[in-house]
Amino acid sequence: MYNESFQKAIKVIERIEGYHHQAFFVGGCVRDYLLNRPVGDIDIATSATPEFLQEIFHNVIPVGIEHGTVIVRFEKESFEVTTFRVDGSYSDQRHPDSVTYIDKIDKDLARRDFTINALAMSRHGAIIDLFQGKQDLENRIIRTVGNGRERFMEDPLRIIRALRFSSQLGFKIDETTLRHMKQVKQQIGNLAIERITNEFTKFFAGNYISQGCTYLRDTGVYKYLPVFKDHEQLFHDVASIKQPLYSFGEVMAVCHLLKPSLNISMWTKAWKCSNKVKNEAIQLSMHIDTWKKLGVSPLLVYQLPEYLYESFVRVASIVDPTSPIQLTDLWGIYETLPIKSRTELAVNGNDIIRLFPSYKKGPWINDLLNNLEKQIVLHGLPNQYETIKEWIKWNPPEIS
């Protein structure tokens, strides 16, 4: 019935209940369980206070204790556990100014964003559904709990979350909820960019991205997004994409390739992405450019990180829908490569320094290693120390 994470979480609930407190699975894990989708993070709501949870569990991280939330580390897994609460006003449009702990779950569920997320489940599988969330799951509808305008004004990120759920689940957005989204969409401008980026990373990875983009266009929310708000045609080009992009690096690479004047660094700064995401986008766009000019060569396959092979195929199929590239093509070439990485070279930087003791260390060493990789991968230079040494003798490095 439950996966391994649920089984461990049941033990957390059992311990809480053993001290005469209530505890339930809540939110997305219940929704995904009922939809028979893979369950990610497992959240628990309880009548026990954060202070009491710290007493009964050995490893508790007070990550959001001011709002009643702690992380319970149990059997090498993390579970977010939040005390039943009602929220005060949201002056910062993200966190409630105050929270009041309560001993029943009904009002706690009433503060949640959408009916499909306002579900609770006991460790025995009994569902608490006060807002017809199960019916909305069956009807594939995204609907706010209570007044949508109030929910979105409390935290405008919920507008983007509605779009994200539509892209992920393929659900329609309730007409009243959609109207309220349009009424307060300008509040998105008050959100931290990092929060927007996190949601849109999931949005673009949705299996129903085409539907999500239709809502994104029809609501006009895109007019409040970094870069897209100033380049409407680019948004419409991106909105025509019909397949998921599984990382924001892929999204930035596609956008840059569609409009090269907007470079990756600009995208990274505007959306406040990590260096990891930035480098992924750079690698993809650089290798796609090479592919468009020269096709798929052994050197391209060698230089492209293996973890980006699937991303490369996805991005290539978007920037050129006629692209015949298949993932099997890349792996087929990879298997024939004489070396798979620089670590397999029969020489290294220290060897080269010994070959040229009078030369001052500098970028020429890396340039020579790059050239050796190219000679071995493309031109059949044997990867043998003496052979490479002889080749270097007849092709000495140029040092300015």
Side-chain angles (χ1 to χ4, degrees):
M1 178 179 177
Y2 298 127
N3 65 20
E4 183 178 353
S5 294
F6 262 126
Q7 294 291 352
K8 292 181 180 179
I10 285 174
K11 295 178 183 179
V12 173
I13 289 179
E14 286 176 337
R15 179 172 294 185
I16 295 172
E17 290 180 339
Y19 287 89
H20 308 293
H21 281 283
Q22 303 170 59
F24 302 91
F25 298 117
V26 290
C29 66
V30 180
R31 177 198 67 229
D32 291 340
Y33 173 76
L34 293 176
L35 289 173
N36 199 29
R37 299 178 76 242
V39 174
D41 295 335
I42 294 178
D43 297 337
I44 296 170
T46 179
S47 58
T49 64
E51 293 74 20
F52 187 76
L53 292 170
Q54 289 177 308
E55 291 179 13
I56 65 174
F57 290 101
H58 297 301
N59 192 352
V60 177
I61 306 170
V63 61
I65 196 167
E66 68 275 16
H67 300 116
T69 299
V70 296
I71 299 293
V72 172
R73 287 285 298 165
F74 186 82
E75 295 186 358
K76 299 182 180 181
E77 291 204 38
S78 297
F79 302 100
E80 187 174 287
V81 184
T82 302
T83 303
F84 299 157
R85 74 185 200 209
V86 291
D87 296 340
S89 57
Y90 284 71
S91 59
D92 70 351
Q93 293 190 305
R94 179 175 184 179
H95 300 115
D97 297 329
S98 62
V99 299
T100 302
Y101 299 146
I102 53 179
D103 60 3
K104 293 183 179 180
I105 198 171
D106 52 354
K107 291 183 179 179
D108 182 89
L109 295 177
R111 69 179 175 81
R112 297 175 184 268
D113 52 6
F114 305 108
T115 61
I116 59 174
N117 294 331
L119 295 163
M121 182 171 69
S122 75
R123 61 185 173 91
H124 302 295
I127 301 295
I128 299 175
D129 179 14
L130 306 179
F131 304 99
Q132 290 74 56
K134 285 183 67 177
Q135 181 177 323
D136 283 344
L137 284 178
E138 292 171 3
N139 294 332
R140 302 173 64 81
I141 294 289
I142 298 167
R143 186 196 318 272
T144 52
V145 174
N147 185 289
R149 184 181 177 87
E150 292 177 4
R151 293 284 85 79
F152 297 134
M153 287 298 293
E154 287 170 351
D155 185 354
L157 191 72
R158 290 168 173 167
I159 297 172
I160 299 175
R161 281 170 59 82
L163 297 171
R164 189 250 287 183
F165 287 130
S166 178
S167 177
Q168 286 183 318
L169 304 175
F171 286 15
K172 293 182 179 179
I173 301 176
D174 167 69
E175 287 298 325
T176 302
T177 298
L178 195 62
R179 184 172 70 251
H180 289 150
M181 290 168 64
K182 294 176 180 178
Q183 289 174 355
V184 299
K185 63 187 176 186
Q186 68 275 9
Q187 297 298 320
I188 292 170
N190 299 326
L191 293 171
I193 297 302
E194 294 89 343
R195 300 181 72 205
I196 295 176
T197 303
N198 183 54
E199 287 297 322
F200 270 101
T201 298
K202 300 173 185 175
F203 171 88
F204 280 108
N207 289 329
Y208 302 89
I209 179 63
S210 182
Q211 176 172 299
C213 282
T214 298
Y215 279 125
L216 181 57
R217 181 185 61 243
D218 292 349
T219 57
V221 166
Y222 72 92
K223 296 179 181 180
Y224 299 89
L225 301 180
V227 187
F228 290 124
K229 63 185 178 182
D230 300 317
H231 299 276
E232 188 163 335
Q233 184 55 52
L234 175 61
F235 165 75
H236 290 300
D237 291 341
V238 172
S240 66
I241 294 172
K242 300 186 184 303
Q243 69 176 62
L245 293 167
Y246 292 123
S247 74
F248 207 75
E250 293 181 26
V251 175
M252 292 199 299
V254 167
C255 290
H256 169 62
L257 290 162
L258 290 175
K259 193 172 181 64
S261 61
L262 304 178
N263 63 44
I264 299 297
S265 293
M266 183 278 300
W267 280 97
T268 302
K269 183 177 180 181
W271 286 81
K272 293 192 176 180
C273 298
S274 67
N275 284 332
K276 179 179 180 295
V277 173
K278 176 183 178 180
N279 291 333
E280 179 182 321
I282 290 173
Q283 288 270 8
L284 286 170
S285 57
M286 178 179 67
H287 285 94
I288 291 291
D289 277 337
T290 299
W291 161 70
K292 289 167 68 176
K293 295 173 185 175
L294 304 174
V296 178
S297 70
L299 188 62
L300 184 152
V301 174
Y302 174 79
Q303 293 177 335
L304 179 66
E306 296 160 43
Y307 78 94
L308 289 179
Y309 284 7
E310 291 186 21
S311 296
F312 179 87
V313 172
R314 278 192 293 272
V315 174
S317 68
I318 289 172
V319 299
D320 181 3
T322 65
S323 166
I325 298 178
Q326 301 292 326
L327 185 60
T328 53
D329 298 332
L330 299 184
W331 283 114
I333 294 173
Y334 175 85
E335 293 301 327
T336 67
L337 294 175
I339 57 173
K340 303 296 194 294
S341 71
R342 177 173 289 187
T343 60
E344 296 181 12
L345 276 177
V347 300
N348 56 36
N350 291 327
D351 296 321
I352 291 173
I353 291 171
R354 284 192 291 270
L355 290 173
F356 299 94
S358 63
Y359 285 20
K360 184 179 179 180
K361 295 178 183 178
W364 65 271
I365 298 173
N366 188 60
D367 291 342
L368 180 53
L369 289 171
N370 285 337
N371 195 9
L372 287 172
E373 289 175 296
K374 182 176 180 180
Q375 293 301 320
I376 292 170
V377 171
L378 282 184
H379 303 299
L381 176 67
N383 185 33
Q384 300 167 353
Y385 178 81
E386 292 299 331
T387 305
I388 291 174
K389 182 179 175 181
E390 188 68 16
W391 184 91
I392 294 174
K393 176 182 175 180
W394 294 100
N395 298 273
E398 296 182 4
I399 303 176
S400 57

